[in-house]
Structures are given as C-alpha cells and as structure tokens.
Amino acid sequence: MTDTRAIKVNGNEIEVRSDLTLLQACEEAGEEIPRFCYHERLSVAGNCRMCLIEVKGGPPKPVASCAQNVRDLRPGPEGQPPELFTNTPMVKKAREGVMEFLLINHPLDCPICDQGGECDLQDQAMAYGRDGTRFEENKRAVEEKHMGPLIKTIMTRCIQCTRCVRFATEVAGVDDLGLVNRGENAEITTYLEKAVESELTGNLIDVCPVGALTSKPYAFSARPWELRKTETIDVMDAVGSNIRVDARGREVMRILPRLHDDVNEEWLADKSRFIWDGLNRQRLDQPFVRKDGKLQPASWDEAFEAAAQKLNGTAPEKVAALVGDLVPTEAVKALKDLMAAIGTPHTDCRQAGEGLGVMADGSRAPRESYLFNSGIAGLEKADAVLLIGANPRTEAPLINARLRKMWLNDMKLEIGLIGDAADLTYEYTHLGAGPDSLSALAKGDSSFLDVLKKAERPAIIVGTSVLNRTDSGALLAEIGQLAQSIGAVTEGWNGFNVLHTAAARVGALDLGFLPGEGGLAVNGILDGAASGSVEVVYNLGCDELDTSKLKNAFVIYQGHHGDAGARAADIIFPGAAYTEQHGIYVNTEGRVQMASRAYFPFGEAREDWAILRAFSERLGKKLPYDDLFALRQAMIEDAPVLGALDQSPAGDVFDVAALGQKGELTSEPFRSAVANYYLTNPVARASKTMAECSAILVEKRIMAAE
C-alpha cells in the first residue's frame, strides 16, 4: 500500500500519496496548475517551466512542480506539514516570464491555425501571460517537416515541449521523431524527412499543446464551435475505443478519442481517427434491384416486393443469412428472429470462418471461450504473455500499446510469439511460425514453457487467423491443453484471450447467430450458393468474404457502401453506417457499449434494424417490436449479458481444456488476420486518406523486398 503524507496547499491541509508529483498534489487540492510539457501518461521532461510553484522553506525561487515528488518535501522546523503556494507574487511573475519566453518566436497565426479555439497556448497566455512583450528582435522561422499524409506541420509554432517525441518513443514505440540542435536552433524533426511509421500517429495531434502538429485531412475545414459533437463507439476494430464524432450537417469533419482508462485510455488508432472521409464516399443511398443483369435504382416498395417474392417462393432450407463485421447487435437480433420465422437453420456471423461459439458436440460454447478474458486493462496484471497467430500492432494497435506499456514498466516481462515475426514495438522471443512450434512448446521442447509455468498470471492471446483454418479445431484443443497446463485459467485469473478484429463478432456470438441444427456455417453457405443447394442469401454487411461464390444465388445485400457485397447483390437495401444509427456493440473483452447517432443516414438509407422490421412485415412474418427500446428488451431477454453496459467481464473459470476437438495439425504457418491495416472494411476502402496511407505501406514493403 502506498504511504501518504499531509501537505498544505495555499493554506489548506490535505492528505496525498507520497509518490505524487507536486503538480498532481496541487490539483488534488483543487488548484489549477498550467503546463505544456507535462502529460500524465508520458515521462517527465521539465522543459516548459510553466508549472512553477513556491515551496515554503525551499529554495528562494519557484520550483517546477512536475519534476518533484511529495516524498521529497521537507517538513517545517517543528514537524509542520510542507507548504506549497500556487498564487503568490513570485509564482505569478515567474509564469508571466515563462510565457513571454515561450511566445518569443511563436507566430501570430491564431486566425488561420487549426488549433484555434482549443489551444492550450491561447488559454494559458490569457490566464497567466503578460499583456505585452519586451522582445523586439525578429522571430525565427523553422522549416516544415514531412510526417506523412496524416500530420500537418507548422514547426515555427513549436515550443519544444517534446510531448510528441516522448509519445512516439514511449507509447507508439517508434524513434522517428527527436530534438536536434541546441539553444535557439533547437527543433523537432523526423531526421530523414519520412512519414512517422506507426498506427498511432494521430495522437501526436492531441498531445501537441500548440498548433505545430495538426490534422492534415482536417486542415482549414472547420472551427470547433461550428461542429456538433456526439459521443459514440468506434467499430474499425474490436477494441471498442470510445470516440467523439464532430459533424457539420451530414458531413463528419473529424473523429477524436474520449477518455476510457479500461479500453483506449485517451489514445486512438489512426484508422479509427482518419476514416471519416470514407463515410461520405461510395455510399448506398437508395435501394437497387438487378434487372437485365444490371443493378437499377428502385423504390423501397419495389425492392421489398422483389425480395419478398423470392423468399416466399423459396424453401426455407434453401435460404441462408450472414452477418458482417460492422453490424450493431440490434440488427443481428432482428435478422436472427426473421430467419427463425422463415425457418432456416443456415445462419452465421463468423464471416472469416472462425471456429468459435460451438463446442465439438455442437452445443453452445461458454462465453469465456471467445472473449479477451483478462480484459484490456486487466492484461497489465499478466507477468508472461504468449501470442499465437496474432499481430496486435495491426489487429488492435491499442492493445499492442498496452503490451508495450507493460514491457516498459517491467523489463523482466517475457513475451513469446508463435507466428509471423513482426516489429511489435517491444522485445519478444520468437518461438516459431506455425503449429509445429506450438506443439513443441506444449511438449516442453522450448524453455519458454518454464517461463509460462513459473508465471503467477500467464496470458495467452490467440489471433483469429488461428481459428479460421482447416485445422482450427485441433489447434484450439492444443491451445486449451497448453492453457490448462500453465495455469492460465485459475480462480481469480483468466488469461485465455481471443483477439477479435471485427466489432460485431462478440455481440453476434452472444446472441447465438450461429448455424442451427443441421445448419451450414459460412463456408458451407458459400459452397451451397455455388452449387445451387442454397438459393437465397441475406447478406447483412458482409464484404470480406469470397463473393464470387455467390453468383449462382439470389443475394439480398443490406449495407452502407458500394463494396464487394453490393457488387454481388441482386437486391440492395441501403443501411446506415455506424455514425448514423444508435446501436450496441460488444468489444473483444465482452464489454457492452452503446453507440449514438451523430447525424441521419444519407438519402433513402435507413437504420439496419428498421429495414429488417419493415421487410418482415412485407414478408408476412412481422417481427414483434415496433421501436428500438422494445427490440433491445427482446435482445436482452435473448442474451442477458447485453443489458450490462460498460462492464468488463469477470473472466470466470471455465474448462479451457475442453475447447476444440482432436485432429491432425497442418504445417502451414500462422498468418496475421490483417494483411493491410488501412484497408480492412468498406469504409476504409472508400477513404482517400486510408488509400494514401496504404500506398506508403505498400511502397515500404516493396523497398524491403528489394
């Protein structure tokens, strides 16, 4: 337990932890301390000196409150609590002097600066600065730096706080940024004038307290006070990052992270942040019906009638339904009930073909068998980690940042990897590339098994690419046996973790959108569509599968972008994107979170659940709910876990050794589930910004191959 000390702040005595900095202690006492270089999640630099305070009995000059701890304070001559002052004339004069120095070279760009209106420098200059300057020499100018398609630089504004350098080095794990030269010539640079190679570069914009680093796609587009701000949930991966969507009319202008310590802290991955231009492009904004081999615009009535005629004229056993990666759980529930009313058992939500949610005997698997059971924040308690067929840097950059944080805080942390050797931004032991290495580890042929067995809280992270192979059942059984042998699942600790990449997957598994008795899974549905045994496929947002196998079937596609699924469709129902509808999503750790609508869908597009409800009535199989509240009530009755908002699962003990089924393992190496981080879904593929980032990635791979 951390010890505490009594201190006085401006005459008020409080009890604080002795490991706090003086800045944190003053803020606990309710005093505001200005700062530029200090950031709660980064190391202390002490560059800007804006956080100066006075310490009674200390040196006869102000003290940088970010760089001294409470434990370093001396008591008074008779044992009185140490005293701190934040508002004395000495402090006021010192802060005014510091602000005057910081503004010596800063240009008067506020009218054209994208940071205007939400700038720390503006706010603190007003609150703590002088009303004039004594500096009459010419201001210096600094050459702009190239940081790629995401970051716009105006380095003359830079105050050398080094927040960006520390974020890149400590959190993102790249050494592309640094401070060169000394004194008046000091400047932040990328050294080789190249893009910052990280999936977290957008956070440099957030940590920059001035306008030196701003968003290049957002440049000169809007002012903060013009935008309508909506708090919602990101769906670009399965982390469930908390975000704020800033929109003007029906146009998203930017996406920013919200603070949630248990999920994304205050960071956001680049794809989630810069995807917004793809929300306006290649949109499906009206129904389509295929006539004479071509998709023709149609009314909702025509589209519903054509789809209803086809479904009513098809035997239930020849109808199938699939759910994609970005679909809210309400739509999954509505489609599940509609397919149950039709009477088909051919339903599946595992677009990539993962062997999850079902035990070897066909029964429903426990929820813990497909969750990230330790929790994203709880992963920090692990003292040994084994990655199997996962590349968290591209599949879940914020979970990868957690792993780097663990590794930095505990240099003794052992991390092992079976799969593609990649730069994960931290050191790890590469144990091999495929199932042979996994079997060798399980048999004790690797010393890393001893590391896992000696650990008090070992964690295994299984990538979804392990679970969509022909030998996935045997692999899962092998991993389950390994998890049991090392004590990964014990009372008080569940270290068996499945790293999902699709935002909709866990929620759909919770609802049991899986093949019924005698039903076909996704690969069986595709093969059946190719052979003719499946005649009608209701495709709810699936764009990542082999749509060429659907050409012999009648496909009803419901989605929001003209991507692969729409091109293979015979009828298109235009749906809403994740920013255009209220919905519930369940992240990879099983945390249920509610997304909110930022603006209404384009054209004639409608919310996904509303389309299914309206279509069910035209089909003559009316669903028993007329509004979103009633649908959610039915959904929670079906899966009670969906009623517990924003709660991390307990990670209950389950029989991990019973997972999978015995079988032969192939020697095919594991591959990451994400081949190109920037182009993983229809919204990303519609984004010009993501296309630019992808081009840089491809160019880098070509150069590496040469």
Side-chain angles (χ1 to χ4, degrees):
M1 184 175 178
T2 307
D3 61 322
T4 60
R5 286 191 64 181
I7 63 170
K8 280 187 174 182
V9 179
N10 294 338
N12 299 318
E13 186 171 334
I14 62 167
E15 194 88 11
V16 295
R17 296 202 332 259
S18 61
D19 62 338
L20 293 184
T21 63
L22 302 188
L23 186 153
Q24 292 170 317
C26 290
E27 293 202 328
E28 285 211 359
E31 300 295 337
E32 181 181 347
I33 305 295
R35 84 293 297 269
F36 290 113
C37 68
Y38 177 80
H39 192 284
E40 290 81 356
R41 301 187 194 276
L42 302 177
S43 61
V44 174
N47 301 4
C48 72
R49 319 310 283 184
M50 196 65 204
C51 64
L52 296 173
I53 63 171
E54 184 178 345
V55 179
K56 184 175 182 179
K61 60 181 181 180
V63 171
S65 60
C66 70
Q68 185 171 339
N69 285 6
V70 172
R71 69 166 69 95
D72 301 324
L73 295 174
R74 294 182 300 172
E78 298 178 6
Q80 305 100 318
E83 291 195 52
L84 311 178
F85 298 95
T86 67
N87 51 12
T88 61
M90 182 208 294
V91 172
K92 183 176 184 296
K93 183 178 180 182
R95 288 177 180 171
E96 287 178 351
V98 168
M99 180 59 72
E100 190 175 5
F101 273 117
L102 290 175
L103 293 175
I104 279 176
N105 289 311
H106 195 84
L108 293 174
D109 277 351
C110 299
I112 62 160
C113 178
D114 279 319
Q115 199 88 341
E118 49 189 11
C119 175
D120 290 349
L121 190 62
Q122 278 183 332
D123 296 341
Q124 293 183 41
M126 284 291 293
Y128 304 103
R130 290 166 51 91
D131 58 359
T133 180
R134 292 164 289 183
F135 192 81
E136 297 179 354
E137 285 77 4
N138 291 330
K139 293 178 181 286
R140 76 163 186 167
V142 181
E143 186 179 345
E144 310 307 351
K145 307 297 185 294
H146 171 68
M147 291 191 185
L150 304 179
I151 308 296
K152 177 180 173 64
T153 65
I154 306 93
M155 300 311 293
T156 303
R157 300 173 187 163
C158 179
I159 61 171
Q160 286 85 48
C161 71
T162 69
R163 273 192 187 181
C164 55
V165 177
R166 284 175 284 143
F167 174 84
T169 306
E170 297 166 16
V171 180
V174 295
D175 55 4
D176 294 337
L177 286 175
L179 184 72
V180 297
N181 303 329
R182 301 176 68 183
E184 188 182 4
N185 295 320
E187 58 182 275
I188 304 291
T189 180
T190 53
Y191 298 123
L192 300 177
E193 294 288 317
K194 67 183 183 67
V196 180
E197 295 177 358
S198 171
E199 297 75 30
L200 301 172
T201 54
N203 297 289
L204 296 172
I205 299 165
D206 292 340
V207 299
C208 181
V210 296
L213 303 178
T214 57
S215 170
K216 187 174 283 188
Y218 173 70
F220 309 127
S221 297
R223 287 298 195 184
W225 54 85
E226 301 175 344
L227 306 177
R228 185 176 63 256
K229 302 166 180 63
T230 306
E231 295 185 349
T232 185
I233 303 299
D234 171 61
V235 300
M236 292 298 111
D237 54 29
V239 173
S241 299
N242 286 232
I243 60 172
R244 192 187 85 196
V245 175
D246 289 0
R248 186 170 59 190
R250 288 191 181 181
E251 185 178 7
V252 176
M253 305 303 295
R254 62 179 181 178
I255 296 174
L256 300 175
R258 287 189 293 131
L259 176 66
H260 196 309
D261 283 327
D262 291 337
V263 180
N264 57 304
E265 298 183 298
E266 61 188 79
W267 314 126
L268 191 60
D270 286 348
K271 185 167 53 177
S272 305
R273 183 188 294 265
F274 294 106
I275 198 76
W276 50 266
D277 66 315
L279 290 165
N280 298 332
R281 303 181 67 247
Q282 299 181 16
R283 290 301 302 270
L284 300 173
D285 58 359
Q286 67 181 111
F288 287 85
V289 175
R290 191 174 294 276
K291 298 176 182 177
D292 301 324
K294 292 185 178 181
L295 285 168
Q296 305 287 343
S299 66
W300 274 109
D301 191 62
E302 290 173 320
F304 278 168
E305 185 62 31
Q309 282 185 5
K310 184 65 179 180
L311 274 171
N312 285 329
T314 305
E317 63 273 13
K318 294 190 175 183
V319 176
L322 296 170
V323 163
D325 293 350
L326 311 179
V327 182
T329 53
E330 292 90 343
V332 178
K333 168 64 175 171
L335 183 58
K336 179 187 175 185
D337 289 351
L338 181 59
M339 291 300 113
I342 291 172
T344 177
H346 310 313
T347 57
D348 204 353
C349 66
R350 302 162 300 182
Q351 183 177 193
E354 303 99 324
L356 290 172
V358 181
M359 300 297 284
D361 60 2
S363 61
R364 284 281 299 275
R367 193 173 191 240
E368 291 75 19
S369 68
Y370 55 81
L371 292 186
F372 200 92
N373 289 289
S374 67
I376 296 172
L379 183 62
E380 295 184 26
K381 299 176 183 176
D383 46 6
V385 179
L386 175 63
L387 300 166
I388 303 176
N391 181 343
R393 183 168 179 182
T394 57
E395 296 171 30
L398 294 173
I399 291 181
N400 195 67
R402 290 269 185 179
L403 287 166
R404 175 171 173 78
K405 178 182 175 182
M406 293 162 57
W407 175 75
L408 280 178
N409 292 342
D410 180 8
M411 296 301 288
K412 295 180 181 178
L413 175 70
E414 294 275 1
I415 301 175
L417 170 67
I418 301 177
D420 283 337
D423 178 9
L424 299 181
T425 71
Y426 42 82
E427 293 178 4
Y428 61 84
T429 303
H430 190 224
L431 304 173
D436 296 340
S437 304
L438 176 62
S439 298
L441 174 65
K443 292 174 184 175
D445 295 345
S446 169
S447 60
F448 198 79
L449 183 64
D450 295 330
V451 173
L452 294 171
K453 285 185 174 181
K454 289 177 182 176
E456 291 183 21
R457 292 177 298 278
I460 294 177
I461 299 177
V462 183
T464 52
S465 62
V466 174
L467 306 170
N468 59 11
R469 300 158 49 107
T470 56
D471 59 349
S472 62
L475 280 170
L476 200 53
E478 184 93 41
I479 294 168
Q481 294 287 344
L482 175 63
Q484 185 184 54
S485 70
I486 64 174
V489 181
T490 57
E491 196 64 41
W493 173 253
N494 189 337
F496 177 80
N497 300 308
V498 176
L499 182 60
H500 289 277
T501 57
R505 192 76 78 245
V506 175
L509 288 170
D510 286 341
L511 284 167
F513 198 88
L514 295 164
E517 187 176 348
L520 299 173
V522 59
N523 291 326
I525 291 171
L526 292 175
D527 292 340
S531 66
S533 60
V534 173
E535 296 181 3
V536 179
V537 176
Y538 198 111
N539 180 353
L540 179 56
C542 287
D543 294 277
E544 314 308 320
L545 41 71
D546 184 3
T547 55
S548 65
K549 293 186 176 182
L550 296 173
K551 60 184 179 182
N552 294 331
F554 187 89
V555 179
I556 303 168
Y557 177 76
Q558 181 177 327
H560 41 78
H561 276 75
D563 207 77
R567 289 193 289 271
D570 295 284
I571 294 177
I572 294 176
F573 296 159
Y578 70 103
T579 52
E580 299 160 8
Q581 59 183 326
H582 299 291
I584 286 175
Y585 290 91
V586 188
N587 75 351
T588 188
E589 63 178 345
R591 185 184 298 270
V592 181
Q593 301 186 106
M594 189 176 294
S596 300
R597 180 175 59 208
Y599 53 94
F600 287 93
F602 288 82
E604 296 181 47
R606 296 294 181 267
E607 296 188 17
D608 286 328
W609 78 268
I611 295 172
L612 288 158
R613 167 61 181 78
F615 180 54
S616 71
E617 191 165 1
R618 177 60 66 92
L619 202 58
K621 304 182 188 301
K622 183 179 175 182
L623 295 176
Y625 26 77
D626 297 327
D627 55 41
L628 190 59
F629 178 78
L631 170 55
R632 283 178 174 165
Q633 291 295 103
M635 182 179 72
I636 292 169
E637 285 180 20
D638 198 358
V641 293
L642 298 178
L645 286 177
D646 200 26
Q647 294 182 19
S648 181
D652 295 334
V653 175
F654 74 109
D655 188 4
V656 67
L659 293 177
Q661 55 194 7
K662 291 185 178 180
E664 291 294 323
L665 296 175
T666 67
S667 58
E668 181 185 354
F670 298 134
R671 300 295 182 201
S672 171
V674 176
N676 186 328
Y677 168 73
Y678 299 104
L679 303 177
T680 56
N681 60 60
V683 187
R685 289 189 285 272
S687 166
K688 289 183 178 180
T689 305
M690 292 298 101
E692 289 182 50
C693 294
S694 175
I696 292 174
L697 178 67
V698 171
E699 182 182 358
K700 178 186 172 185
R701 287 176 178 172
I702 292 173
M703 292 177 66
E706 292 175 349

